[in-house]
Amino acid sequence: MQINGTWYRTIWLADDGRSVDVIDQRALPHSFEIMRLATVEQAAAAIRDMVVRGAPLIGATAAYGVCLALLRDPLHGSLDRALELLAATRPTAVNLRWALEVMDEAVRYLAPDERVAAAYRRAARICDEDVEISRRIGEHGLEVLRGMSRAKGGGPLNVLTHCNAGWLATVDWGTALAPVYMAHDAGIDVHVWVDETRPRNQGASLTAYELGAHGVPHTVIVDNAGGHLMQHGMVDVCIVGTDRTTATGDVANKIGTYLKALAAHDNGVPFYVALPRTTIDWTARDGLAEIPIERRDPAEVKLIRGLGPDGRIVDVELTPPSSPAANFAFDVTPARLVTGLITDRGVCSASLEGLLGLFPEWAGEVGGGEGRR
Ligand code: MRU
């Protein structure tokens, strides 16, 4: 993605060849800041504090976190501690678990003096593969949007999205937004309704920033506006990302996604979920029972972040100081409310049959619905 004429990924190896640079997403859209991660503790904190966020980028950052731990100490104890520390940062995005398993497999059985180089190579590959996977999601999603635009026969195609599943949530391109970028670039008249996405406002801050930088027409709406817009024919399609999709097509995504899917269902609006293969949890069958839902600091609900009158980023108090708040970060949309899954291998129904049709090599790995988390 280009920002002011410079091509960026969201994570890259720093010029010292060891540390990792990331875009500090807490400062966007007001300020473009780069943070350097030099230790595994800093990588873990960056994930936990949402300097980086979005399921694929969480996985990529964790992969580099393992590299940083091995750089300091390549022995097994260090590897185990790093895996444990990073795994505990955010529980819902399964890409985290996936990336840690991949890194573990890549280095565990090597001699200690071979581990660091192998880890950096594997982490770089995770990033490159994520870009390619997102690009393919974009191509498959583009065909969905093209078909809808033709069927509509004129006027902008109105896409509603929730949270940020754009390039900032991945290494580049994004998942839900990749088809939008490609549609826009292909000359399709596309307009995006951007849910603000309380409490952290990833829509208002990040999705709006990305779409603006790419020149895609968009409008920020409050989270509760989507139902009204759908009732009045102002949304042609919803596309969202996901942090974990079960083998049966249940989808965990940012809190509020489920309500959008309900409204879409009630109004006959297609509801698509875009995801890389790394977001599928083949061990889980029942999203409600088996996907752990992260609960974050209630302060994120009680405060709202923005640009103060003196040009500094400030947190402003929103609630009576004594009112308790609860911060559920994700919800689960059952497969029956999902029109289709846009994956890097194509579009399928949100079902075990649909997913196995595209990913037959996973048939032997599908969990038995034993409620494992
Ligand atoms: O809490 P966040 O900002 O990490 O949540 C991100 C989302 O919910 C995204 O929709 C999801 O990770 C998909 S990212 C391509």
Side-chain angles (χ1 to χ4, degrees), residues 50 53-56 90 163-165 169 175 202 242-243 253-254 330:
M50 294 176 67
R53 25 72 49 203
R90 296 198 69 189
C163 196
N164 172 263
T175 57
Q202 290 95 327
T242 167
D243 286 77
N253 192 47
K254 183 52 56 193
F330 298 95

Side-chain angles (χ1 to χ4, degrees), residues 1-4 6-12 23 25 28 32 53-54 56-57 130-131 134 164-178 181 206-207 209-214:
M1 172 62 70
Q2 278 199 23
I3 300 294
N4 299 330
T6 305
W7 193 271
Y8 282 97
R9 284 184 171 186
T10 52
I11 184 165
W12 62 94
I23 299 167
Q25 302 195 19
L28 290 173
F32 187 84
R53 25 72 49 203
L57 180 56
D130 186 67
V131 177
S134 291
N164 172 263
W167 73 279
L168 287 165
T170 61
V171 178
D172 201 354
W173 279 111
T175 57
L177 292 189
Y181 291 133
L206 305 177
T207 299
Y209 171 79
E210 279 195 23
L211 291 171
H214 201 99

Side-chain angles (χ1 to χ4, degrees), residues 281-330:
D281 183 350
W282 295 100
T283 70
R285 278 177 182 260
D286 179 346
L288 279 179
E290 297 179 72
I291 299 180
I293 299 297
E294 178 181 11
R295 287 188 69 167
R296 295 185 59 85
D297 187 344
E300 292 181 347
V301 175
K302 292 175 67 65
L303 303 170
I304 193 156
R305 175 165 293 190
L307 205 60
D310 62 354
R312 281 197 299 191
I313 297 170
V314 285
D315 288 334
V316 177
E317 200 149 357
L318 206 57
T319 64
S322 60
S323 290
N327 189 1
F328 298 90
F330 298 95

Side-chain angles (χ1 to χ4, degrees), residues 13 16 23 25 43 79 83 96 201 206-207 232 240 268 354:
L13 200 59
D16 65 6
I23 299 167
Q25 302 195 19
L79 176 63
L83 295 174
L96 176 63
N201 295 307
L206 305 177
T207 299
H232 290 272
V240 299

